[in-house]
Amino acid sequence: MSLNPSKIRGDFPIFQRKINNNPLIYFDNAATTQKPIQVIDSIKNFYEKYNANVHRAVYSLSQEATELYEDSREKIAKFINAEPSEIIFTRGTTEAINLIAYSWGLDNLKQNDEILLTEMEHHSNLIPWEIISKRTEAITKYVKINENSTINLKDFENKLSTKTKIVSISHVSNVTGVINDIKNISKITHENNSLILIDGAQSVPHMKVDVKELDIDFLAFSAHKMLGPTGIGALYCKKKNFETMGPFQGGGEMIKNVNFNSKIQKPEIQWNSPPWKFEAGTPNIAGSIGFMEAVKYLDSIGIEKVSSYEKDLTKYALNRIKECKKTIVYGPLDTSIKCGIISFNVQGLSSHDVALFADTFGIMIRSGYHCAQPLHQVIKLQSSARASFYIYNTIEEIDRFVEVLKEIEQF
Amino acid sequence: MDLQELINISRIPLPYSQKVIDLFRNPKNQGKMKNPTVIAVAGNPACGDMITFYMKINDQEVIEKITFESYGCAANIATASIVTEMVNGLNLKDTWKELSWKKVVEEVGGLPNVKSHCGILAVGAVKRGIRKYYQQKGLVPNWIPRGLTSEEKQALEEEELAEKLSKK
């Protein structure tokens, strides 16, 4: 049984809005998703009834807040088949990748070690490694992509060597929607005794991601791309890897004991155990509760249903876009290796003009590089427009989009 | 149903003025120039747009001919086109004084807010071209401010990318 988009839409207050006198059609889900009332209410409810700092005080309110915060960790862990102690809360995918780059990278990378990335990475899985490579003199290498924008496995195996300490790669490209075969890539990586980090920003919200089945070391993802609030995300970290990771940021919560030794006039510091060792300062408690509620919402639908519904939408959209003669779609058209992300251009028009015109009809699509400038250069594109779908989008919205796209082609 | 009809039905104003659309469809002075005195490039890494101006400047420091190439959006093409019309035949000093992005935006009948940077880019590129002309001659006219104008700065920031893209 497929999911019921009209029932789902009823949970999202934003769809009552009109944009430029048109009903809002939101097709920028790869950037961020809209929030259901359940998530919005959970945050409001927390501030109205439970607000207190966590892990700090003996009084009831703080105990309750702590319980909610840790419940959230548990819920999110279960969603990706991890242990709660393997989930570190971060500001989002970007901070999660930075955490690994700094706390694992600075301690474990040395001159001439290699970090293996790909040409399709989002800037957030590229810049942190470039920064760390400068500091440690480790070398970043980039795996080539094939003509259809999938990873060139041959080039991957060629570039993987005894020097490769970590492979960091996106599960799903935020430009082409290509789904990488992580299970296979992870197997090859581990046979090479390297670690593997997966940027799950575009996969975790849309498909079943099981860290045990994929057998990966690290997984980074954001709440706001899966119905949750902004400013919170998670880093999954396989337990055994904690041993190799120094602290990330310093502050409260990440320490167990700070004993000021008067003889040496310095504090003696004992780190907290993971995952708290990596959560300095007061965390985003309300955010974590919104995150938990978002996961509950997705669970109530079933992530497999989410996946198959999006595939149906994407298939339908790709098929209908064929009617738009001046529109070129990038990446594979085969939805067995592609998520609900469609990047395209209209011949003779800048992607920004396409997005600007779509906006006048109430349709929100992205334009530009989508934070993946290298990929655009590799596939020789100046920029592209992008439509990306989620559970509340409908066939009717795609029909309207295609109608508008045909008009834009006449510009 | 064409775009205009559709717009009439939904009563949405076009994001672009008629002038921008006309210039986008029929730009003036578009194309490369052989043996220009100065080439000025500006691009915007945030959106991927870029413009190149080619200027022929005579001994009286008058812009005899100016053309442009652009791979950008309609606003980018229209503002570049209008700039060539505005400064053609002017001497460099007057060009420097007369040309501002506000004037450019006015001349194209206004731009959506998100697009005013296109006007800034076009003006910045021409001003950088003028500065470059005097640098090549080893001259420092007193009417050119020492520090870069904000328009030049914006064009400068984006020069590196523009160079990369122009090689494609």
Side-chain angles (χ1 to χ4, degrees):
Chain A
M1 204 180 70
S2 185
L3 52 80
N4 181 349
S6 65
K7 183 174 168 281
I8 286 172
R9 288 176 76 83
D11 288 333
F12 291 75
I14 203 161
F15 291 120
Q16 289 156 22
R17 261 207 74 173
K18 294 224 157 165
I19 303 270
N20 295 322
N21 281 328
N22 283 278
L24 165 64
I25 297 182
Y26 187 79
F27 279 174
D28 196 16
N29 294 290
T32 196
T33 58
Q34 299 303 338
K35 321 302 171 201
I37 191 71
Q38 291 85 338
V39 168
I40 298 167
D41 281 348
S42 72
I43 295 167
K44 188 168 172 273
N45 192 46
F46 169 76
Y47 280 126
E48 284 176 355
K49 295 185 186 142
Y50 300 98
N51 183 49
N53 211 330
V54 293
H55 299 135
R56 298 281 194 285
V58 294
Y59 55 80
S60 310
L61 208 54
S62 172
Q63 297 293 319
E64 287 173 12
T66 305
E67 210 164 290
L68 283 169
Y69 182 65
E70 293 303 327
D71 279 354
S72 166
R73 195 190 306 277
E74 203 179 314
K75 190 88 204 156
I76 289 150
K78 207 174 253 173
F79 192 65
I80 57 164
N81 194 22
E83 302 299 319
S85 62
E86 293 174 314
I87 298 293
I88 300 165
F89 280 120
T90 65
R91 262 194 309 130
T93 307
T94 300
E95 195 181 56
I97 297 172
N98 273 279
L99 194 155
I100 293 302
Y102 281 85
S103 83
W104 175 83
L106 284 181
D107 279 357
N108 294 279
L109 291 169
K110 52 184 193 307
Q111 199 179 24
N112 295 328
D113 280 348
E114 289 176 6
I115 304 159
L116 195 50
L117 310 164
T118 82
E119 287 176 342
M120 73 168 75
E121 297 317 311
H122 186 282
H123 295 165
S124 63
N125 189 27
L126 192 161
I127 308 298
W129 296 114
E130 287 299 336
I131 293 171
I132 294 304
S133 120
K134 265 215 174 116
R135 305 235 330 232
T136 59
E137 293 181 52
I139 298 158
T140 53
K141 287 203 165 171
Y142 291 84
V143 177
K144 286 195 181 321
I145 56 167
N146 295 315
E147 217 157 286
N148 71 352
S149 300
T150 53
I151 279 184
N152 186 326
L153 266 182
K154 213 173 206 165
D155 193 50
F156 171 69
E157 287 182 276
N158 283 341
K159 286 189 172 136
L160 196 69
S161 77
T162 49
K163 291 181 187 164
T164 312
K165 292 290 173 289
I166 192 164
V167 172
S168 193
I169 160 184
S170 50
H171 196 168
V172 168
S173 159
N174 73 314
V175 178
T176 57
V178 158
I179 306 168
N180 292 316
D181 183 358
I182 296 303
K183 204 172 169 179
N184 184 33
I185 290 170
S186 175
K187 190 170 162 268
I188 301 168
T189 303
H190 283 146
E191 281 165 3
N192 191 59
N193 291 320
S194 316
L195 293 175
I196 185 162
L197 182 153
I198 300 302
D199 171 355
Q202 302 294 348
S203 64
V204 175
H206 304 282
M207 61 176 77
K208 180 76 205 156
V209 175
D210 180 326
V211 292
K212 292 208 172 79
E213 198 210 329
L214 296 176
D215 189 24
I216 51 183
D217 294 289
F218 310 107
L219 174 73
F221 55 105
S222 299
H224 73 96
K225 289 189 201 295
M226 49 193 289
L227 311 176
T230 53
I232 186 139
L235 170 68
Y236 157 77
C237 184
K238 198 189 269 176
K239 223 175 250 167
K240 71 170 174 65
N241 294 318
F242 281 131
E243 294 158 20
T244 61
M245 289 163 61
F248 176 44
Q249 293 171 339
E253 179 71 25
M254 51 81 69
I255 32 84
K256 200 166 268 167
N257 194 13
V258 185
N259 176 42
F260 197 82
N261 184 328
S262 55
K263 272 188 207 149
I264 54 167
Q265 286 290 300
K266 260 184 201 281
E268 293 163 337
I269 304 163
Q270 203 185 347
W271 308 129
N272 203 341
S273 29
W276 303 284
K277 175 182 170 183
F278 302 97
E279 293 178 359
T282 296
N284 184 353
I285 310 162
S288 79
I289 286 153
F291 197 174
M292 167 162 60
E293 205 57 39
V295 169
K296 278 186 189 164
Y297 193 93
L298 288 172
D299 271 345
S300 75
I301 297 168
I303 194 74
E304 280 86 5
K305 268 186 198 165
V306 170
S307 259
S308 75
Y309 180 70
E310 280 176 29
K311 268 199 185 353
D312 290 348
L313 281 183
T314 311
K315 239 182 240 173
Y316 182 80
L318 286 170
N319 206 31
R320 286 233 47 203
I321 290 173
K322 280 188 203 147
E323 296 165 27
C324 308
K325 296 297 173 210
K326 286 186 186 167
T327 300
I328 310 149
V329 173
Y330 305 104
L333 303 177
D334 173 4
T335 50
S336 69
I337 53 162
K338 182 188 175 75
C339 256
I341 297 174
I342 299 177
S343 285
F344 64 96
N345 268 319
V346 176
Q347 276 173 328
L349 284 183
S350 151
S351 67
H352 301 292
D353 284 341
V354 175
L356 201 58
F357 280 107
D359 175 67
T360 61
F361 297 98
I363 303 174
M364 314 288 112
I365 57 171
R366 245 322 258 288
S367 56
Y369 291 126
H370 324 304
C371 292
Q373 208 173 319
L375 177 67
H376 278 82
Q377 282 163 351
V378 167
I379 59 180
K380 296 199 169 51
L381 267 185
Q382 201 135 20
S383 70
S384 61
R386 179 184 72 185
S388 50
F389 313 126
Y390 212 23
I391 45 175
Y392 34 68
N393 292 127
T394 63
I395 295 287
E396 290 74 28
E397 287 180 328
I398 290 169
D399 285 338
R400 173 71 175 150
F401 170 62
V402 170
E403 186 189 338
V404 167
L405 197 53
K406 283 179 186 170
E407 295 306 326
I408 292 171
E409 287 189 341
Q410 306 302 312
F411 176 65
Chain B
M1 193 164 44
D2 70 6
L3 187 63
Q4 201 54 54
E5 278 177 67
L6 204 68
I7 286 154
N8 289 343
I9 292 165
S10 52
R11 289 184 198 148
I12 306 158
L14 258 177
Y16 287 137
S17 69
Q18 196 54 48
K19 180 86 187 174
V20 170
I21 294 169
D22 291 346
L23 284 174
F24 170 65
R25 289 187 177 144
N26 299 298
K28 307 286 193 310
N29 306 312
Q30 195 180 27
K32 238 186 192 127
M33 187 193 290
K34 263 188 193 167
N35 305 318
T37 324
V38 171
I39 298 176
V41 186
N44 184 339
C47 63
D49 289 356
M50 67 161 292
I51 334 171
T52 309
F53 284 104
Y54 303 89
M55 293 193 269
K56 181 87 81 190
I57 298 162
N58 69 18
D59 294 341
Q60 283 74 51
E61 302 186 346
V62 169
I63 300 174
E64 256 183 3
K65 202 177 171 203
I66 176 165
T67 66
F68 79 95
E69 283 185 297
S70 164
Y71 300 97
C73 63
N76 186 306
I77 290 167
T79 50
S81 172
I82 207 91
V83 162
T84 63
E85 289 188 278
M86 285 166 77
V87 305
N88 204 0
L90 286 186
N91 70 41
L92 296 181
K93 188 178 174 182
D94 288 342
T95 302
W96 191 280
K97 281 190 170 161
E98 294 299 317
L99 203 59
S100 77
W101 70 269
K102 276 189 185 142
K103 229 177 228 175
V104 169
V105 171
E106 231 167 74
E107 286 287 327
V108 295
L111 282 176
N113 280 342
V114 291
K115 288 290 173 186
S116 31
H117 70 271
C118 296
I120 299 174
L121 213 60
V123 170
V126 168
K127 290 197 169 170
R128 276 171 49 74
I130 293 173
R131 212 183 265 274
K132 198 165 151 193
Y133 170 81
Y134 285 110
Q135 270 164 5
Q136 283 172 3
K137 296 227 150 195
L139 297 172
V140 189
N142 57 13
W143 46 265
I144 293 187
R146 271 240 188 121
L148 297 183
T149 59
S150 58
E151 290 141 341
E152 286 173 279
K153 270 187 200 151
Q154 178 152 346
L156 175 71
E157 220 168 75
E158 290 142 358
E159 186 182 35
E160 213 173 87
L161 174 88
E163 267 172 19
K164 232 186 254 167
L165 288 173
S166 64
K167 274 178 202 149
K168 262 211 290 207

